[in-house]
């Protein structure tokens, strides 16, 4: 296999496309990223990364900037008839644990997250090409050619459609987008300026005749996300969003003067869509994010599922594009992520049902959208062909998310987390027990493609001291057990093997699909 001299083309520069482009660029893979918009959007839209996405963003080197740019989730204040009736803080009782350092989502405007990601991508010399609308795709034997609306052409080794629910890539491929649109479940949304509300709360007015929700936008003085049930005309048809309409809704539900809402921009109407692409890969073209699946906003899983799609695809597409793996590895992207999308559709539908039921009564609110599965930490790929491991532990099987744990550098005594060892575009081999030393040393033959650390003995990349036993606890490995655990570049367990089973590790890393 030989690497292609052609870049990978990423279509769409939202969080999904930017995550994928960064992951490819940090692997030294040529990448171009285009977007049909003439300028970068300022829409707030998604309310921020969940705990699993924060882990992804840490690996990409941007989590500090993300945490600095946003805010912790706010308590929710619920109203009925203009009167505050209940407060809720759905994350108040959650705490970071040794195996999961992020215990709650982080609030930030989507445009701000995109700024952070674009800055990181620029560090690799890659910038988004605006005003580049895709109108055609033609596939050759060893490349794909994209045609743009201005007549320009881009030849690429592979292309990834990260261009949203109305994806041009998906439509050009002819991939069915199966599911339903719930026409009766409609909201109007926008970014507004409001004076006189306490910015320490996410305010939610739920009345029998409608609702208004206002959430302060971090890093703004008076900016808020506005969501509401739409006004309707005499026939019952919803009216389009407008500043005048937002003011009427605001005054009606809050009981406050309409002129406190002074500006409304980026107006949109939102209907609940539940759809999935029938395929995620058509030869050299792949789909990710909203181009592959859309669902209810309940649970805040849309943008996060897209980021995690890109994280799964990035290492696979990077290895194939660099000539380190055969194209069959790309089949595992659909194999792993399409079932996850189906799960997300189910979770978001259940969270929506729970929320719609809760708001029928005074005190109900969007805290009902927080529930099992919304933090993203329970996901894994146990069904995957990349998880065909004969061994398991009391807590982990191949395909599971690889936990974090606080350790120490055995030489310097400095604190070192397992996530520090995983960070970067490589596999990581952990050896629990002194009997793993031989396998760890043999792993050095794989060079920069793999880091090998011993928890009780030295590996070629170093030794970590599990001084408080958190690593063994997180991985379900007893104090006298000796095992090898191979971690994929997307921080999922690839293989669990006996301490001296070097052949299993070698076979996994040299397999046709890796």
């Amino acid at each position: 296999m030989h690497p292609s001299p052609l870049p990978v083309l990423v279509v769409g520069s939202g969080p999904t496309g930017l995550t994928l482009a960064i992951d490819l660029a940090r692997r030294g893979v040529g990448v171009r990223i285009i977007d049909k918009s003439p300028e970068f959007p300022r829409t707030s839209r998604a309310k921020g990364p969940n705990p699993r996405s924060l882990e992804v963003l840490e690996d990409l080197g941007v989590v500090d900037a993300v945490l600095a740019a946003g805010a912790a989730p706010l308590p929710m204040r619920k109203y009925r008839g203009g009167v505050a009736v209940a407060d809720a803080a759905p994350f108040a009782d959650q705490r970071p644990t040794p195996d999961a350092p992020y215990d709650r989502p982080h609030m930030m405007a989507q445009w701000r997250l995109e700024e952070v990601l674009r800055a990181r991508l620029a560090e690799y010399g890659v910038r988004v090409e605006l005003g580049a609308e895709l109108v055609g795709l033609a596939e050759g034997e060893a490349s794909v050619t994209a045609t743009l609306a201005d007549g320009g052409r881009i030849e690429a080794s592979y292309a990834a459609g990260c261009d949203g629910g109305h994806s041009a890539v998906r439509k050009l491929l002819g991939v069915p987008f199966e599911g339903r649109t719930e026409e009766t479940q409609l909201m109007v949304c926008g970014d507004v300026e409001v004076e006189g509300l306490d910015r320490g709360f996410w305010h939610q007015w739920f009345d029998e005749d409608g609702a208004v929700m206002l959430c302060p936008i971090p890093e703004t003085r008076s900016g808020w996300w506005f969501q509401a049930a739409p006004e309707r005309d005499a026939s019952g048809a919803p009216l389009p969003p407008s500043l005048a309409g937002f003011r009427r809704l605001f005054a009606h539900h809050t009981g406050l003067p309409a002129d406190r809402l002074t500006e409304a921009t980026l107006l949109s109407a939102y209907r609940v869509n539940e759809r999935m692409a029938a395929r995620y890969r058509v030869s050299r073209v792949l789909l990710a994010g909203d181009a592959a699946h859309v669902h209810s906003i309940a649970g805040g899983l849309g943008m996060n599922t897209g980021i995690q799609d890109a994280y799964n695809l990035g290492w696979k597409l990077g290895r194939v594009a660099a000539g380190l793996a055969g194209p069959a590895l790309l089949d595992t992207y659909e194999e792993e992520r399409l079932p996850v999308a189906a799960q997300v559709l189910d979770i978001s539908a259940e969270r929506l049902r729970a929320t719609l039921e809760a708001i029928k009564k005074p005190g109900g609110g969007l805290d009902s959208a927080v529930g099992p599965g919304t933090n993203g930490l329970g996901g894994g790929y146990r069904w995957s062909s990349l998880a065909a491991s004969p061994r398991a532990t009391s807590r982990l099987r191949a395909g599971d998310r690889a936990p974090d744990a606080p350790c120490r550098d055995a030489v310097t005594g400095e604190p070192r987390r397992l996530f520090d060892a995983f960070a970067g575009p490589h596999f990581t081999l952990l050896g629990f027990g002194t009997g793993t030393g031989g396998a760890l040393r043999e792993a050095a033959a794989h060079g920069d493609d793999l880091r090998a650390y011993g928890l009780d003995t030295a590996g070629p990349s170093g030794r970590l001291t599990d001084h408080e036993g958190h690593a063994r606890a997180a991985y379900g490995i007893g104090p006298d057990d000796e095992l090898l655990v191979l971690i994929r570049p997307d921080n999922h367990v690839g293989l669990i093997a006996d301490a001296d089973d070097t052949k299993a590790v070698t076979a996994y890393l040299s397999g046709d699909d890796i």
Side-chain angles (χ1 to χ4, degrees):
M1 292 179 289
H2 300 284
S4 170
L6 299 174
V8 172
L9 174 64
V10 177
V11 183
S13 66
T16 301
L18 289 167
T19 297
L20 179 59
I22 292 169
D23 205 9
L24 292 169
R26 70 173 179 162
R27 298 171 190 279
V29 174
V31 60
R32 290 182 67 176
I33 178 168
I34 64 172
D35 199 291
K36 69 177 182 180
S37 299
E39 57 188 19
F40 296 121
R42 294 283 294 184
T43 178
S44 298
R45 297 182 65 187
K47 292 184 176 64
N50 67 12
R52 178 54 181 165
S53 291
L54 288 170
E55 294 181 353
V56 173
L57 296 170
E58 178 178 346
D59 187 29
L60 298 181
V62 297
V63 75
D64 289 343
V66 166
L67 294 176
L74 295 173
M76 302 176 183
R77 176 156 289 174
K78 281 94 58 95
Y79 302 78
R80 198 76 160 192
V83 177
V85 295
D87 289 349
F91 304 103
D93 296 332
Q94 298 186 17
R95 298 290 184 273
T97 59
D99 63 329
Y102 305 104
D103 64 328
R104 62 196 65 198
H106 194 68
M107 287 179 55
M108 65 188 307
Q110 182 171 321
W111 64 264
R112 186 69 183 93
L113 175 60
E114 290 172 0
E115 280 189 343
V116 170
L117 292 172
R118 286 198 301 269
R120 180 61 167 163
L121 184 60
E123 293 177 15
Y124 296 103
V126 181
R127 287 176 169 76
V128 177
E129 301 171 40
L130 292 172
E133 181 179 1
L134 181 75
V135 296
L137 281 172
E139 193 166 344
E141 182 177 342
S143 66
V144 60
T145 301
T147 301
L148 306 182
D150 63 3
R153 294 177 181 272
I154 299 174
E155 190 175 6
S157 56
Y158 289 88
C162 307
D163 50 342
H166 299 289
S167 171
V169 173
R170 187 188 65 243
K171 292 174 182 177
L172 289 168
L173 294 175
V175 173
F177 205 36
E178 299 164 347
R180 68 187 184 95
T181 299
E182 180 54 71
E183 296 293 343
T184 63
Q185 293 175 352
L186 177 67
M187 283 196 310
V188 289
C189 313
D191 287 4
V192 302
E193 298 289 323
V194 175
E195 298 287 352
L197 279 181
D198 186 342
R199 292 180 65 82
F201 291 92
W202 184 348
H203 300 273
Q204 303 165 16
W205 292 265
F206 290 106
D207 299 311
E208 293 184 3
D209 62 345
V212 163
M213 293 151 278
L214 281 163
C215 183
I217 302 173
E219 294 194 307
T220 65
R221 184 188 65 81
S222 57
W224 298 75
W225 288 296
F226 180 100
Q227 298 167 287
E231 294 182 300
R232 296 183 181 271
D233 63 19
S235 69
L239 297 176
S242 67
L243 172 59
F246 281 13
R247 282 177 163 171
R248 288 191 294 266
L249 288 165
F250 174 79
H252 174 71
H253 289 287
T254 70
L256 299 171
D259 60 7
R260 286 199 183 179
L261 196 157
T262 57
E263 186 178 348
T265 58
L266 302 166
L267 308 183
S268 64
Y270 167 81
R271 287 177 173 82
V272 173
N273 281 288
E274 295 178 341
R275 298 182 181 275
M276 284 176 51
R279 301 175 62 187
Y280 279 19
R281 180 190 179 198
V282 179
S283 191
R284 290 181 172 271
V285 185
L286 303 108
L287 300 172
D290 287 356
H293 45 75
V294 294
H295 45 81
S296 159
I297 60 174
L301 293 169
M303 178 190 74
N304 288 291
T305 305
I307 288 173
Q308 293 154 38
D309 283 347
Y311 195 48
N312 182 286
L313 177 58
W315 73 274
K316 298 171 181 178
L317 185 52
R319 290 182 68 81
V320 173
L324 299 175
L329 179 59
L330 296 177
D331 290 334
T332 69
Y333 167 62
E334 177 180 307
E335 178 189 4
E336 293 184 343
R337 292 304 295 177
L338 194 148
V340 169
Q343 293 170 1
V344 167
L345 261 67
D346 289 342
I347 292 168
S348 62
E350 171 55 26
R351 290 299 91 207
L352 178 62
R353 184 207 62 76
T355 302
L356 293 175
E357 188 64 29
I359 63 176
K360 293 177 182 178
K361 301 176 182 179
L366 298 186
D367 49 312
S368 297
V370 179
T374 58
N375 66 10
L377 296 177
Y381 313 116
R382 290 185 174 186
W383 60 84
S384 170
S385 59
L386 297 182
S389 175
R391 292 297 307 268
T393 74
S394 62
R395 291 196 61 180
L396 290 181
R397 288 172 54 186
D400 290 349
R401 164 191 167 272
D404 193 13
C407 299
R408 286 179 180 165
D409 186 292
V411 175
T412 67
E414 293 295 317
R416 189 109 190 269
R417 295 162 53 209
L418 289 186
F419 277 6
D420 296 332
F422 301 163
H426 55 261
F427 288 85
T428 306
L429 183 62
L430 298 178
F432 292 86
T434 57
T436 62
L440 293 173
R441 287 189 292 273
E442 287 192 38
H446 290 275
D448 291 339
D449 198 31
L450 182 138
R451 305 282 191 274
Y453 294 90
L455 275 296
D456 303 282
T457 186
S461 303
R463 177 182 173 186
L464 303 174
T465 302
D466 187 16
H467 58 296
E468 295 179 321
H470 289 305
R472 283 185 176 270
Y475 283 73
I477 299 174
D480 299 321
D481 294 334
E482 297 195 333
L483 287 174
L484 295 165
V485 181
L486 182 66
I487 312 300
R488 301 175 1 175
D490 61 350
N491 295 2
H492 280 77
V493 176
L495 175 75
I496 301 171
D498 291 329
D500 59 352
D501 196 354
T502 307
K503 290 183 178 179
V505 177
T506 301
Y508 190 95
L509 292 172
S510 60
D512 292 338
D513 291 344
I514 295 294

PDB file of all heavy atoms in Angstrom, residues 276-302:
ATOM      1  N   MET A 276     -32.209   8.611   9.363  1.00  0.00           N
ATOM      2  CA  MET A 276     -30.863   8.053   9.277  1.00  0.00           C
ATOM      3  C   MET A 276     -30.547   7.725   7.835  1.00  0.00           C
ATOM      4  O   MET A 276     -31.424   7.292   7.072  1.00  0.00           O
ATOM      5  CB  MET A 276     -30.758   6.759  10.094  1.00  0.00           C
ATOM      6  CG  MET A 276     -30.666   6.943  11.581  1.00  0.00           C
ATOM      7  SD  MET A 276     -30.661   5.338  12.439  1.00  0.00           S
ATOM      8  CE  MET A 276     -29.362   4.487  11.537  1.00  0.00           C
ATOM      9  N   ALA A 277     -29.298   7.943   7.467  1.00  0.00           N
ATOM     10  CA  ALA A 277     -28.840   7.528   6.144  1.00  0.00           C
ATOM     11  C   ALA A 277     -28.797   5.999   6.088  1.00  0.00           C
ATOM     12  O   ALA A 277     -28.400   5.335   7.053  1.00  0.00           O
ATOM     13  CB  ALA A 277     -27.463   8.106   5.852  1.00  0.00           C
ATOM     14  N   ALA A 278     -29.206   5.458   4.961  1.00  0.00           N
ATOM     15  CA  ALA A 278     -29.203   4.003   4.805  1.00  0.00           C
ATOM     16  C   ALA A 278     -27.784   3.445   4.758  1.00  0.00           C
ATOM     17  O   ALA A 278     -27.552   2.284   5.113  1.00  0.00           O
ATOM     18  CB  ALA A 278     -29.962   3.613   3.538  1.00  0.00           C
ATOM     19  N   ARG A 279     -26.840   4.271   4.311  1.00  0.00           N
ATOM     20  CA  ARG A 279     -25.434   3.870   4.234  1.00  0.00           C
ATOM     21  C   ARG A 279     -24.565   5.032   4.677  1.00  0.00           C
ATOM     22  O   ARG A 279     -24.925   6.195   4.478  1.00  0.00           O
ATOM     23  CB  ARG A 279     -25.055   3.468   2.796  1.00  0.00           C
ATOM     24  CG  ARG A 279     -25.860   2.330   2.205  1.00  0.00           C
ATOM     25  CD  ARG A 279     -25.494   2.101   0.757  1.00  0.00           C
ATOM     26  NE  ARG A 279     -24.088   1.720   0.597  1.00  0.00           N
ATOM     27  CZ  ARG A 279     -23.491   1.589  -0.592  1.00  0.00           C
ATOM     28  NH1 ARG A 279     -24.157   1.843  -1.704  1.00  0.00           N
ATOM     29  NH2 ARG A 279     -22.218   1.221  -0.656  1.00  0.00           N
ATOM     30  N   TYR A 280     -23.413   4.713   5.268  1.00  0.00           N
ATOM     31  CA  TYR A 280     -22.464   5.738   5.665  1.00  0.00           C
ATOM     32  C   TYR A 280     -21.275   5.807   4.717  1.00  0.00           C
ATOM     33  O   TYR A 280     -20.463   6.732   4.796  1.00  0.00           O
ATOM     34  CB  TYR A 280     -21.936   5.464   7.073  1.00  0.00           C
ATOM     35  CG  TYR A 280     -22.843   5.915   8.195  1.00  0.00           C
ATOM     36  CD1 TYR A 280     -24.198   6.163   7.982  1.00  0.00           C
ATOM     37  CD2 TYR A 280     -22.342   6.090   9.470  1.00  0.00           C
ATOM     38  CE1 TYR A 280     -25.015   6.566   9.021  1.00  0.00           C
ATOM     39  CE2 TYR A 280     -23.146   6.497  10.515  1.00  0.00           C
ATOM     40  CZ  TYR A 280     -24.490   6.728  10.287  1.00  0.00           C
ATOM     41  OH  TYR A 280     -25.285   7.139  11.317  1.00  0.00           O
ATOM     42  N   ARG A 281     -21.147   4.809   3.850  1.00  0.00           N
ATOM     43  CA  ARG A 281     -20.023   4.793   2.924  1.00  0.00           C
ATOM     44  C   ARG A 281     -20.483   4.349   1.548  1.00  0.00           C
ATOM     45  O   ARG A 281     -21.196   3.348   1.418  1.00  0.00           O
ATOM     46  CB  ARG A 281     -18.918   3.852   3.411  1.00  0.00           C
ATOM     47  CG  ARG A 281     -17.724   3.810   2.463  1.00  0.00           C
ATOM     48  CD  ARG A 281     -16.725   2.721   2.803  1.00  0.00           C
ATOM     49  NE  ARG A 281     -15.631   2.723   1.830  1.00  0.00           N
ATOM     50  CZ  ARG A 281     -14.791   1.709   1.633  1.00  0.00           C
ATOM     51  NH1 ARG A 281     -14.903   0.597   2.358  1.00  0.00           N
ATOM     52  NH2 ARG A 281     -13.838   1.800   0.724  1.00  0.00           N
ATOM     53  N   VAL A 282     -20.101   5.111   0.547  1.00  0.00           N
ATOM     54  CA  VAL A 282     -20.263   4.707  -0.849  1.00  0.00           C
ATOM     55  C   VAL A 282     -18.875   4.816  -1.474  1.00  0.00           C
ATOM     56  O   VAL A 282     -18.437   5.885  -1.889  1.00  0.00           O
ATOM     57  CB  VAL A 282     -21.278   5.591  -1.599  1.00  0.00           C
ATOM     58  CG1 VAL A 282     -21.383   5.149  -3.053  1.00  0.00           C
ATOM     59  CG2 VAL A 282     -22.644   5.529  -0.919  1.00  0.00           C
ATOM     60  N   SER A 283     -18.152   3.712  -1.456  1.00  0.00           N
ATOM     61  CA  SER A 283     -16.797   3.617  -1.991  1.00  0.00           C
ATOM     62  C   SER A 283     -15.877   4.646  -1.341  1.00  0.00           C
ATOM     63  O   SER A 283     -15.546   4.526  -0.168  1.00  0.00           O
ATOM     64  CB  SER A 283     -16.806   3.753  -3.510  1.00  0.00           C
ATOM     65  OG  SER A 283     -15.546   3.419  -4.056  1.00  0.00           O
ATOM     66  N   ARG A 284     -15.511   5.710  -2.041  1.00  0.00           N
ATOM     67  CA  ARG A 284     -14.556   6.687  -1.519  1.00  0.00           C
ATOM     68  C   ARG A 284     -15.220   7.896  -0.850  1.00  0.00           C
ATOM     69  O   ARG A 284     -14.549   8.872  -0.523  1.00  0.00           O
ATOM     70  CB  ARG A 284     -13.637   7.169  -2.641  1.00  0.00           C
ATOM     71  CG  ARG A 284     -12.657   6.102  -3.105  1.00  0.00           C
ATOM     72  CD  ARG A 284     -11.730   6.597  -4.205  1.00  0.00           C
ATOM     73  NE  ARG A 284     -10.692   5.596  -4.458  1.00  0.00           N
ATOM     74  CZ  ARG A 284      -9.529   5.534  -3.826  1.00  0.00           C
ATOM     75  NH1 ARG A 284      -9.235   6.454  -2.919  1.00  0.00           N
ATOM     76  NH2 ARG A 284      -8.659   4.585  -4.099  1.00  0.00           N
ATOM     77  N   VAL A 285     -16.506   7.840  -0.635  1.00  0.00           N
ATOM     78  CA  VAL A 285     -17.219   8.960  -0.023  1.00  0.00           C
ATOM     79  C   VAL A 285     -17.945   8.465   1.232  1.00  0.00           C
ATOM     80  O   VAL A 285     -18.585   7.409   1.219  1.00  0.00           O
ATOM     81  CB  VAL A 285     -18.232   9.578  -1.005  1.00  0.00           C
ATOM     82  CG1 VAL A 285     -18.863  10.820  -0.390  1.00  0.00           C
ATOM     83  CG2 VAL A 285     -17.549   9.932  -2.328  1.00  0.00           C
ATOM     84  N   LEU A 286     -17.834   9.244   2.306  1.00  0.00           N
ATOM     85  CA  LEU A 286     -18.421   8.860   3.587  1.00  0.00           C
ATOM     86  C   LEU A 286     -19.270   9.993   4.140  1.00  0.00           C
ATOM     87  O   LEU A 286     -19.087  11.162   3.773  1.00  0.00           O
ATOM     88  CB  LEU A 286     -17.324   8.490   4.583  1.00  0.00           C
ATOM     89  CG  LEU A 286     -16.403   7.355   4.107  1.00  0.00           C
ATOM     90  CD1 LEU A 286     -15.030   7.931   3.755  1.00  0.00           C
ATOM     91  CD2 LEU A 286     -16.278   6.244   5.123  1.00  0.00           C
ATOM     92  N   LEU A 287     -20.210   9.649   5.008  1.00  0.00           N
ATOM     93  CA  LEU A 287     -21.116  10.620   5.616  1.00  0.00           C
ATOM     94  C   LEU A 287     -20.913  10.643   7.122  1.00  0.00           C
ATOM     95  O   LEU A 287     -20.673   9.602   7.741  1.00  0.00           O
ATOM     96  CB  LEU A 287     -22.572  10.264   5.310  1.00  0.00           C
ATOM     97  CG  LEU A 287     -22.974  10.208   3.835  1.00  0.00           C
ATOM     98  CD1 LEU A 287     -24.392   9.650   3.703  1.00  0.00           C
ATOM     99  CD2 LEU A 287     -22.885  11.596   3.202  1.00  0.00           C
ATOM    100  N   ALA A 288     -21.049  11.834   7.719  1.00  0.00           N
ATOM    101  CA  ALA A 288     -20.897  11.967   9.169  1.00  0.00           C
ATOM    102  C   ALA A 288     -21.771  13.097   9.674  1.00  0.00           C
ATOM    103  O   ALA A 288     -22.120  14.023   8.941  1.00  0.00           O
ATOM    104  CB  ALA A 288     -19.433  12.222   9.538  1.00  0.00           C
ATOM    105  N   GLY A 289     -22.099  13.047  10.967  1.00  0.00           N
ATOM    106  CA  GLY A 289     -22.895  14.107  11.577  1.00  0.00           C
ATOM    107  C   GLY A 289     -24.314  14.137  11.052  1.00  0.00           C
ATOM    108  O   GLY A 289     -24.902  13.107  10.718  1.00  0.00           O
ATOM    109  N   ASP A 290     -24.883  15.348  10.975  1.00  0.00           N
ATOM    110  CA  ASP A 290     -26.273  15.480  10.536  1.00  0.00           C
ATOM    111  C   ASP A 290     -26.486  14.997   9.104  1.00  0.00           C
ATOM    112  O   ASP A 290     -27.616  14.703   8.718  1.00  0.00           O
ATOM    113  CB  ASP A 290     -26.722  16.937  10.644  1.00  0.00           C
ATOM    114  CG  ASP A 290     -26.951  17.374  12.087  1.00  0.00           C
ATOM    115  OD1 ASP A 290     -26.839  16.512  12.993  1.00  0.00           O
ATOM    116  OD2 ASP A 290     -27.240  18.562  12.321  1.00  0.00           O
ATOM    117  N   ALA A 291     -25.453  14.915   8.317  1.00  0.00           N
ATOM    118  CA  ALA A 291     -25.592  14.350   6.975  1.00  0.00           C
ATOM    119  C   ALA A 291     -25.958  12.877   7.039  1.00  0.00           C
ATOM    120  O   ALA A 291     -26.539  12.327   6.085  1.00  0.00           O
ATOM    121  CB  ALA A 291     -24.291  14.524   6.188  1.00  0.00           C
ATOM    122  N   ALA A 292     -25.653  12.227   8.175  1.00  0.00           N
ATOM    123  CA  ALA A 292     -25.912  10.798   8.332  1.00  0.00           C
ATOM    124  C   ALA A 292     -27.094  10.513   9.241  1.00  0.00           C
ATOM    125  O   ALA A 292     -27.689   9.425   9.168  1.00  0.00           O
ATOM    126  CB  ALA A 292     -24.670  10.100   8.885  1.00  0.00           C
ATOM    127  N   HIS A 293     -27.474  11.460  10.109  1.00  0.00           N
ATOM    128  CA  HIS A 293     -28.561  11.218  11.058  1.00  0.00           C
ATOM    129  C   HIS A 293     -29.045  12.537  11.632  1.00  0.00           C
ATOM    130  O   HIS A 293     -28.256  13.447  11.907  1.00  0.00           O
ATOM    131  CB  HIS A 293     -28.082  10.308  12.197  1.00  0.00           C
ATOM    132  CG  HIS A 293     -26.737  10.707  12.750  1.00  0.00           C
ATOM    133  ND1 HIS A 293     -26.543  11.794  13.568  1.00  0.00           N
ATOM    134  CD2 HIS A 293     -25.506  10.173  12.574  1.00  0.00           C
ATOM    135  CE1 HIS A 293     -25.267  11.916  13.871  1.00  0.00           C
ATOM    136  NE2 HIS A 293     -24.599  10.944  13.260  1.00  0.00           N
ATOM    137  N   VAL A 294     -30.343  12.672  11.821  1.00  0.00           N
ATOM    138  CA  VAL A 294     -30.929  13.812  12.519  1.00  0.00           C
ATOM    139  C   VAL A 294     -31.986  13.280  13.473  1.00  0.00           C
ATOM    140  O   VAL A 294     -32.573  12.222  13.250  1.00  0.00           O
ATOM    141  CB  VAL A 294     -31.555  14.844  11.554  1.00  0.00           C
ATOM    142  CG1 VAL A 294     -30.486  15.514  10.703  1.00  0.00           C
ATOM    143  CG2 VAL A 294     -32.607  14.201  10.667  1.00  0.00           C
ATOM    144  N   HIS A 295     -32.232  14.026  14.539  1.00  0.00           N
ATOM    145  CA  HIS A 295     -33.174  13.563  15.551  1.00  0.00           C
ATOM    146  C   HIS A 295     -33.584  14.735  16.420  1.00  0.00           C
ATOM    147  O   HIS A 295     -33.141  15.878  16.224  1.00  0.00           O
ATOM    148  CB  HIS A 295     -32.541  12.456  16.399  1.00  0.00           C
ATOM    149  CG  HIS A 295     -31.133  12.759  16.826  1.00  0.00           C
ATOM    150  ND1 HIS A 295     -30.834  13.565  17.889  1.00  0.00           N
ATOM    151  CD2 HIS A 295     -29.945  12.375  16.294  1.00  0.00           C
ATOM    152  CE1 HIS A 295     -29.529  13.662  18.015  1.00  0.00           C
ATOM    153  NE2 HIS A 295     -28.956  12.963  17.055  1.00  0.00           N
ATOM    154  N   SER A 296     -34.420  14.472  17.404  1.00  0.00           N
ATOM    155  CA  SER A 296     -34.864  15.492  18.338  1.00  0.00           C
ATOM    156  C   SER A 296     -33.672  16.126  19.046  1.00  0.00           C
ATOM    157  O   SER A 296     -32.653  15.479  19.284  1.00  0.00           O
ATOM    158  CB  SER A 296     -35.800  14.850  19.367  1.00  0.00           C
ATOM    159  OG  SER A 296     -35.887  15.615  20.546  1.00  0.00           O
ATOM    160  N   ILE A 297     -33.826  17.408  19.419  1.00  0.00           N
ATOM    161  CA  ILE A 297     -32.766  18.085  20.155  1.00  0.00           C
ATOM    162  C   ILE A 297     -32.751  17.678  21.630  1.00  0.00           C
ATOM    163  O   ILE A 297     -31.810  18.015  22.346  1.00  0.00           O
ATOM    164  CB  ILE A 297     -32.893  19.613  20.059  1.00  0.00           C
ATOM    165  CG1 ILE A 297     -34.246  20.083  20.634  1.00  0.00           C
ATOM    166  CG2 ILE A 297     -32.707  20.077  18.632  1.00  0.00           C
ATOM    167  CD1 ILE A 297     -34.377  21.593  20.700  1.00  0.00           C
ATOM    168  N   ALA A 298     -33.764  16.946  22.084  1.00  0.00           N
ATOM    169  CA  ALA A 298     -33.824  16.545  23.489  1.00  0.00           C
ATOM    170  C   ALA A 298     -32.599  15.702  23.847  1.00  0.00           C
ATOM    171  O   ALA A 298     -32.280  14.738  23.166  1.00  0.00           O
ATOM    172  CB  ALA A 298     -35.103  15.760  23.761  1.00  0.00           C
ATOM    173  N   GLY A 299     -31.932  16.084  24.908  1.00  0.00           N
ATOM    174  CA  GLY A 299     -30.721  15.384  25.328  1.00  0.00           C
ATOM    175  C   GLY A 299     -29.451  15.985  24.781  1.00  0.00           C
ATOM    176  O   GLY A 299     -28.348  15.608  25.198  1.00  0.00           O
ATOM    177  N   GLY A 300     -29.560  16.924  23.827  1.00  0.00           N
ATOM    178  CA  GLY A 300     -28.384  17.607  23.298  1.00  0.00           C
ATOM    179  C   GLY A 300     -27.392  16.698  22.611  1.00  0.00           C
ATOM    180  O   GLY A 300     -26.177  16.881  22.729  1.00  0.00           O
ATOM    181  N   LEU A 301     -27.883  15.715  21.838  1.00  0.00           N
ATOM    182  CA  LEU A 301     -27.000  14.695  21.275  1.00  0.00           C
ATOM    183  C   LEU A 301     -26.607  14.936  19.821  1.00  0.00           C
ATOM    184  O   LEU A 301     -25.760  14.218  19.294  1.00  0.00           O
ATOM    185  CB  LEU A 301     -27.672  13.317  21.403  1.00  0.00           C
ATOM    186  CG  LEU A 301     -27.829  12.822  22.838  1.00  0.00           C
ATOM    187  CD1 LEU A 301     -28.736  11.602  22.884  1.00  0.00           C
ATOM    188  CD2 LEU A 301     -26.479  12.500  23.447  1.00  0.00           C
ATOM    189  N   GLY A 302     -27.196  15.921  19.164  1.00  0.00           N
ATOM    190  CA  GLY A 302     -26.951  16.091  17.732  1.00  0.00           C
ATOM    191  C   GLY A 302     -25.515  16.410  17.395  1.00  0.00           C
ATOM    192  O   GLY A 302     -24.815  15.625  16.753  1.00  0.00           O
TER     193      GLY A 302
END
